[in-house]
Amino acid sequence: MATILINKDNFYHNLNQIALKTGSIEKIAMVLKDNAYGHGLEIMGKLASEFGIRHAVVKNIEEAERIKALFETVLILGDLAVKDEVYTFAINDLSDIANAQKGAKVELKVDTGMHRNGIAMDEVDTALQQIEKRGLELVGVMTHFRSADEMGSELFWQQKQFESVKEKVHAAGFKKVRFHSHNSAAILRTRNFSEDLVRVGIAAYGYNELPEPFDHVTLKPVMKLMAGKVAARRLSKGERVGYGGDFSAPDAMKVATYDLGYGDGWPRGDSQNAYITAEGLPVLGRVSMDFIILESDKEVVVIMDNAQEAAKQFGTISYEMTTALSEKIERLVI
Ligand SMILES: *Cc1c(COP(=O)(O)O)cnc(C)c1O
């Protein structure tokens, strides 16, 4: 059976590395959206909570419900704000303020340059007034960086914009507001962190997507993807394998079918440029919906133990590799 092994020691190693940057565990908000980047929402929530993490970030209320009991605060990035003790809601647009339930805790997201979500810089005063008028509780002010993982000055320009937002919020008399802007890339390149919180996702899962010249923090991949043998056979020279017969045996060989396919969120890729597994085996022929074929007779094979390496083979990023993996795949903590 295809299985995802979750390495608790590696996860805690990564969290410790991040805590060294933030100065304390309390300042880490663990981003658990999209099934914890494919690692398993409840599993990662529980491990994070046991480590001492008190804050989480998810996409919607449905995800939040599943981990609510584990955290002091859960920031919900994309749902309408309702009144709740634990939940806080990102305000992505002025209309979110109008649609929020009275008494809801909100965190104002300000667009300092990414131009994806958040209210414009020149709407900050209006937003603050409307939050008060609507009887919402402002508990946070946040922004998101578009190029924290690239060299150059764009990050600093956005940070400067955010500093001016902080001044406005203070000037408007809001107290007890937590300010946060850093994602993984931003915190990994920061030397003197002074905000209240980081929203850390990919780094906690073990990947550093910063280019080489940055001060390198060693992280360890949390996930290992395994597949199990379903059927084995001998091929004679010239026999072809899978849909379209894209792979042709150069010699007599023993192959086996393993239970992982694009139906599990594994990329179909390109059979002419086969994926090489963590154990160095090329996938033979096309990936099927539920199966791949390898030259192996092992009962269990390691398909991927480093999503960043795998991502390079498919021309994508670690985030997409892990997040795509189906919720149906069993996850086990080791
Ligand atoms: C997903 C997300 C993050 C985490 O980003 P990483 O690069 O995985 O650390 C932080 N903030 C917001 C608003 C996000 O949507």
Side-chain angles (χ1 to χ4, degrees):
M1 232 180 29
T3 310
I4 291 170
L5 301 182
I6 297 297
N7 188 313
K8 176 173 158 176
D9 289 344
N10 286 3
F11 183 44
Y12 287 180
H13 164 87
N14 302 332
L15 291 175
N16 275 320
Q17 295 301 306
I18 296 155
L20 287 175
K21 292 282 188 177
T22 60
S24 81
I25 296 170
E26 280 96 275
K27 287 193 172 184
I28 300 176
M30 182 70 213
V31 181
L32 296 168
K33 67 189 181 200
D34 292 273
N35 199 29
Y37 291 34
H39 290 67
L41 175 57
E42 283 91 352
I43 286 178
M44 299 312 291
K46 186 153 176 286
L47 291 177
S49 158
E50 283 168 9
F51 185 80
I53 305 252
R54 297 179 186 168
H55 310 285
V57 182
V58 296
K59 192 159 70 174
N60 51 36
I61 293 180
E62 189 269 320
E63 287 180 341
E65 295 286 323
R66 290 159 60 189
I67 46 132
K68 181 175 191 177
L70 301 166
F71 298 99
E72 276 172 29
T73 74
V74 178
L75 166 58
I76 297 170
L77 292 170
D79 228 329
L80 286 187
V82 294
K83 188 169 163 30
D84 189 275
E85 268 310 300
V86 175
Y87 300 161
T88 72
F89 293 84
I91 296 294
N92 290 305
D93 189 274
L94 286 178
S95 65
D96 290 345
I97 301 175
N99 293 325
Q101 192 179 48
K102 189 170 185 266
K105 294 182 184 180
V106 296
E107 308 207 37
L108 185 62
K109 190 165 188 181
V110 182
D111 174 13
T112 56
M114 182 165 177
H115 304 322
R116 183 180 64 173
N117 287 324
I119 58 146
M121 293 286 293
D122 60 10
E123 291 173 336
V124 171
D125 289 322
T126 309
L128 293 174
Q129 283 161 17
Q130 290 184 4
I131 285 170
E132 278 222 289
K133 217 164 81 193
R134 293 271 298 113
L136 309 179
E137 190 184 342
L138 184 71
V139 297
V141 176
M142 62 192 278
T143 193
H144 196 49
F145 300 130
R146 74 175 180 203
S147 327
D149 55 355
E150 287 166 21
M151 298 291 280
S153 59
E154 289 207 356
L155 174 66
F156 305 108
W157 162 71
Q158 273 194 272
Q159 280 175 326
K160 214 168 149 206
Q161 301 273 86
F162 194 49
E163 289 307 315
S164 76
V165 172
K166 289 180 190 172
E167 280 163 28
K168 278 189 185 171
V169 174
H170 285 138
F174 286 93
K175 306 217 164 55
K176 288 205 286 184
V177 169
R178 60 183 193 181
F179 291 97
H180 45 108
S181 59
H182 293 60
N183 59 357
S184 294
I187 191 64
L188 290 177
R189 67 189 279 191
T190 292
R191 300 226 171 148
N192 34 21
F193 179 72
S194 62
E195 287 182 351
D196 303 308
L197 207 64
V198 300
R199 303 181 306 267
V200 63
I202 202 72
Y205 301 109
Y207 307 105
N208 185 344
E209 293 279 355
L210 287 174
E212 284 301 328
F214 286 109
D215 183 21
H216 225 73
V217 178
T218 305
L219 301 172
K220 299 180 181 176
V222 170
M223 161 188 294
K224 198 187 246 192
L225 176 64
M226 324 286 287
K229 186 161 81 176
V230 180
R233 71 200 70 251
R234 268 173 210 284
L235 298 178
S236 317
K237 182 174 175 171
E239 281 188 310
R240 301 191 303 155
V241 159
Y243 284 116
D246 283 9
F247 174 79
S248 174
D251 279 301
M253 63 195 289
K254 271 162 90 176
V255 301
T257 304
Y258 291 88
D259 62 350
L260 181 76
Y262 60 81
D264 302 298
W266 183 254
R268 185 165 171 275
D270 172 6
S271 63
Q272 302 306 318
N273 185 11
Y275 173 75
I276 315 277
T277 70
E279 295 170 325
L281 300 173
V283 170
L284 306 179
R286 290 186 203 165
V287 171
S288 304
M289 191 179 293
D290 296 305
F291 303 108
I292 55 173
I293 297 169
L294 301 170
E295 183 178 12
S296 173
D297 60 0
K298 286 169 63 174
E299 288 302 316
V300 176
V301 289
V302 184
I303 301 295
M304 170 175 85
D305 61 6
N306 182 328
Q308 202 166 17
E309 295 299 319
K312 281 185 197 140
Q313 296 195 45
F314 291 110
T316 182
I317 52 176
S318 54
Y319 298 77
E320 192 183 8
M321 289 304 302
T322 65
T323 306
L325 293 172
S326 164
E327 291 211 27
K328 296 179 311 202
I329 302 175
E330 187 184 17
R331 276 113 173 126
L332 292 174
V333 179
I334 53 161

